[in-house]
Amino acid sequence: MTLFTGLSAFPLTPIDDEGQLKSELLQRFLERIVAAGADSIGLLGSTGGYAYLTPEERKRTLRAAVDCVAGRTPLVVGVGALTTDVAEDLARDARKAGADGLLLAPMSYQPLTDDEVFRHFEAVAAAGELPLCIYNNPGTTKFTFSPDLIARLAEISNVAAVKMPLPADSDYAGEMRSLRAVTPDGFAVGYSGDWGAKDALLAGGACWYSVVAGLLPEPALALTRASQAGNAAEAERIDHAFAPLWALFREFGSFRVMFTIAEILGLGRITPPRPILPLEPASRERVEVALRPLLQDAV
Amino acid sequence: MTLFTGLSAFPLTPIDDEGQLKSELLQRFLERIVAAGADSIGLLGSTGGYAYLTPEERKRTLRAAVDCVAGRTPLVVGVGALTTDVAEDLARDARKAGADGLLLAPMSYQPLTDDEVFRHFEAVAAAGELPLCIYNNPGTTKFTFSPDLIARLAEISNVAAVKMPLPADSDYAGEMRSLRAVTPDGFAVGYSGDWGAKDALLAGGACWYSVVAGLLPEPALALTRASQAGNAAEAERIDHAFAPLWALFREFGSFRVMFTIAEILGLGRITPPRPILPLEPASRERVEVALRPLLQDAV
């Protein structure tokens, strides 16, 4: 198993009202992920709110995570930033701090050209020297990677994987065939978008970059293992238990729902960074109902 | 004339290779704008690269600008940020430093809801206490304001104006009628997108939020005054001189082209913040050609 395979669990980054990292709560999230046996941790991904934190807060968060999980579960860390200078600095710091790999999303303000994204990735990959996953997340970055650009990037020696959004036509197998045809052997094509994870993994996707596994690693791992084993019936059964939650993820955005899940699970009261608002009480009740099938032994 | 009317000129923020503000060069840009007689300066807008600078760099830039233009030309400053906390801090600082008004764009990573944008604007307007212009720039923020949301925001006492993108159907008059119907008297509806400025002003737009006026304030002011006076023939003549440059703005993005214009005018060699790349030499030659009609006395 290489770094970018299996279940990668994306924890929230808990920040208190004064803007300080709640490191004990972060470590509590991480312990649950390690205990469940997830294949990696996707620290400071979109779910980890990396875009809303200063570089200093991000470095502190990484150190708290390394202190907790080093040697137990591989740690992949998001180093995306609006400027190449900041992303390079974060990538160098990640290596120094002991991360195992990097996630890089092309955050943008002015829309970027393919050449700009290529040069950005080349620079950050060189600065970080760690295995790097292309974080293809048009819903947040507003940049869409063409297969050609992924192929160009995959030639950079430490660019090892891509995290794809769910394909509009749900043709995972076709998309993976196309990408594998233009990328080196061993380049790992994985997926995010939790409601498509079952189909992505059953179709041979290398990795599920999972939001929900940041807080519910056990049922997420059960879904991952059933899908990886090709046990479609069992995967369908578990995915069915997740379905009400997937519906809420799509309605409210998974980022907002995750803060509510943390509270319902009794892990801690944390709020999203403004301008993102927490769910209203009525929606919170719907999350409670959606969680029930997942908190029973059945999954 | 209120703050958000006439020609608002948006200068670049010149940063050296070590990431430091070149304050003398910024002041040179500002002196040109003041000398031309522009109605306001739009500091740290999209053209000023606010999204790529730290809050500290932005505060330093504002102080250098106030030192230069205070009491001569009204200074409006962009305080957009990915978090409400940072935008509030910048808004408070802007007032303290002596800015005359605020521009606020809803920068986003996770796509924002209307309620989130409303609460964000409400908080930042309260923190800054200065007249505030809603910076409606879907091309960079990926957020589109509905007329309803603009109407809700216009009820906040110091929300005084909106900067609209060019309407897809070019029906400026229709759009302004709709917006005026739902906003208080005196609420100023202006436009950005330099190639539509003539039509927007001829149709009664309150303000041209102008990229090109950051470096070529004289012909931009001539276009503004002719359009404001309803002199369509003269406005057409000047707009025609700008046309080759508008074509390059659309092809490359005005942000990239502006750095090349600064160099061609002999004002200084500055480069955009990576990942944004400067224009290639062949494109630079095209900018030189496009500038010729604008650097003659005829305009």
Side-chain angles (χ1 to χ4, degrees):
Chain A
M1 288 259 286
T2 63
L3 184 58
F4 299 110
T5 54
L7 177 68
S8 189
F10 280 58
L12 293 169
T13 304
I15 302 288
D16 69 19
D17 291 343
E18 277 73 49
Q20 297 299 309
L21 175 69
K22 298 174 83 154
S23 50
E24 284 180 21
L25 183 52
L26 174 67
Q27 292 174 345
R28 204 164 158 200
F29 293 160
L30 296 173
E31 286 295 350
R32 291 165 58 88
I33 295 168
V34 171
D39 298 301
S40 68
I41 292 162
L43 191 77
L44 292 165
S46 294
T47 305
Y50 77 94
Y52 305 106
L53 300 172
T54 65
E56 293 66 37
E57 288 163 339
R58 293 166 68 173
K59 291 176 183 180
R60 268 196 295 276
T61 301
L62 175 56
R63 276 158 184 74
V66 170
D67 284 350
C68 178
V69 306
R72 298 196 291 160
T73 302
L75 191 61
V76 174
V77 60
V79 295
L82 282 164
T83 66
T84 306
D85 287 355
V86 171
E88 283 176 336
D89 174 53
L90 290 168
R92 276 185 215 106
D93 178 74
R95 182 162 178 262
K96 207 165 68 180
D100 298 289
L102 308 175
L103 288 169
L104 180 61
M107 281 183 79
S108 68
Y109 184 73
Q110 299 285 346
L112 300 175
T113 66
D114 278 13
D115 271 348
E116 287 169 343
V117 169
F118 180 81
R119 298 271 289 270
H120 181 67
F121 273 69
E122 189 178 46
V124 178
E129 299 177 57
L130 293 170
L132 183 150
C133 174
I134 302 164
Y135 199 117
N136 183 5
N137 201 359
T140 54
T141 65
K142 314 306 182 288
F143 183 83
T144 299
F145 286 85
S146 65
D148 277 359
L149 180 56
I150 293 171
R152 277 179 74 195
L153 289 168
E155 286 173 24
I156 298 171
S157 64
N158 55 323
V159 173
V162 64
K163 174 170 96 64
M164 295 294 288
L166 301 181
D169 61 1
S170 297
D171 182 9
Y172 300 90
E175 182 171 86
M176 281 186 266
R177 252 195 321 276
S178 309
L179 287 171
R180 283 176 190 148
V182 296
T183 52
D185 283 354
F187 183 82
V189 179
Y191 284 85
S192 61
D194 285 2
W195 48 91
K198 166 184 67 73
D199 290 336
L201 291 168
L202 282 169
C207 190
W208 174 18
Y209 297 93
S210 171
V211 173
V212 82
L215 286 171
L216 294 168
E218 290 192 19
L221 195 70
L223 177 54
T224 304
R225 295 295 183 245
S227 305
Q228 287 178 311
N231 187 342
E234 175 67 358
E236 297 280 1
R237 190 186 67 74
I238 304 170
D239 189 62
H240 185 75
F242 271 114
L245 192 61
W246 298 160
L248 295 169
F249 275 16
R250 298 178 80 157
E251 181 176 346
F252 296 111
S254 54
F255 187 62
R256 293 178 188 84
V257 177
M258 284 286 278
F259 288 87
T260 304
I261 297 175
E263 195 181 325
I264 292 171
L265 293 180
L267 293 169
R269 282 187 75 106
I270 46 172
T271 51
R274 290 185 307 158
I276 311 291
L277 295 174
L279 297 190
E280 300 287 339
S283 309
R284 185 201 139 106
E285 280 176 38
R286 294 171 59 200
V287 178
E288 279 182 16
V289 172
L291 285 176
R292 277 182 210 148
L294 298 165
L295 301 176
Q296 292 159 1
D297 288 340
V299 173
Chain B
M1 288 257 287
T2 62
L3 184 59
F4 299 110
T5 53
L7 177 67
S8 189
F10 280 58
L12 294 170
T13 305
I15 302 287
D16 70 19
D17 292 342
E18 278 72 49
Q20 296 299 308
L21 175 68
K22 298 173 83 154
S23 50
E24 285 182 20
L25 182 52
L26 173 67
Q27 292 174 344
R28 204 164 159 200
F29 294 159
L30 296 173
E31 286 296 350
R32 290 165 59 89
I33 295 168
V34 172
D39 299 300
S40 69
I41 292 162
L43 191 77
L44 292 165
S46 295
T47 306
Y50 77 96
Y52 306 106
L53 299 172
T54 65
E56 293 67 36
E57 289 164 338
R58 293 167 68 172
K59 292 176 184 180
R60 266 196 296 276
T61 301
L62 175 56
R63 277 157 183 76
V66 170
D67 284 350
C68 178
V69 307
R72 298 197 290 160
T73 302
L75 190 62
V76 174
V77 60
V79 296
L82 282 164
T83 67
T84 307
D85 287 354
V86 171
E88 284 175 337
D89 175 53
L90 290 168
R92 275 185 217 106
D93 179 76
R95 182 162 178 262
K96 206 166 69 179
D100 299 288
L102 307 176
L103 288 169
L104 181 60
M107 281 182 78
S108 69
Y109 184 75
Q110 298 285 346
L112 300 175
T113 67
D114 277 14
D115 271 348
E116 287 169 343
V117 169
F118 180 81
R119 299 272 289 271
H120 180 67
F121 273 70
E122 190 177 46
V124 177
E129 299 176 58
L130 294 171
L132 184 149
C133 174
I134 302 164
Y135 198 118
N136 182 4
N137 201 358
T140 54
T141 64
K142 314 307 182 287
F143 183 84
T144 299
F145 286 85
S146 66
D148 278 358
L149 180 56
I150 293 170
R152 277 179 74 194
L153 288 168
E155 285 173 24
I156 299 171
S157 64
N158 54 324
V159 173
V162 65
K163 173 172 98 65
M164 295 293 288
L166 302 181
D169 61 1
S170 297
D171 182 10
Y172 300 91
E175 181 171 87
M176 281 186 267
R177 251 194 321 275
S178 310
L179 288 171
R180 282 177 190 147
V182 296
T183 53
D185 283 353
F187 183 82
V189 179
Y191 285 86
S192 61
D194 284 1
W195 49 92
K198 166 184 67 74
D199 290 337
L201 290 168
L202 283 170
C207 189
W208 174 19
Y209 297 93
S210 171
V211 173
V212 81
L215 286 171
L216 294 168
E218 292 194 16
L221 194 69
L223 177 54
T224 304
R225 296 295 182 244
S227 305
Q228 286 178 311
N231 186 343
E234 175 67 358
E236 297 280 1
R237 191 186 66 75
I238 304 171
D239 189 60
H240 185 74
F242 271 114
L245 192 62
W246 299 159
L248 295 170
F249 275 17
R250 299 179 81 158
E251 180 175 346
F252 296 111
S254 54
F255 187 63
R256 293 178 188 84
V257 177
M258 284 287 278
F259 287 88
T260 303
I261 297 176
E263 195 181 325
I264 292 171
L265 294 180
L267 294 169
R269 284 186 75 105
I270 46 171
T271 51
R274 293 184 305 156
I276 311 291
L277 295 175
L279 297 190
E280 299 288 340
S283 309
R284 185 202 139 106
E285 280 177 37
R286 293 171 59 199
V287 177
E288 280 184 13
V289 172
L291 285 176
R292 277 182 210 147
L294 298 165
L295 301 177
Q296 292 158 3
D297 286 342
V299 173

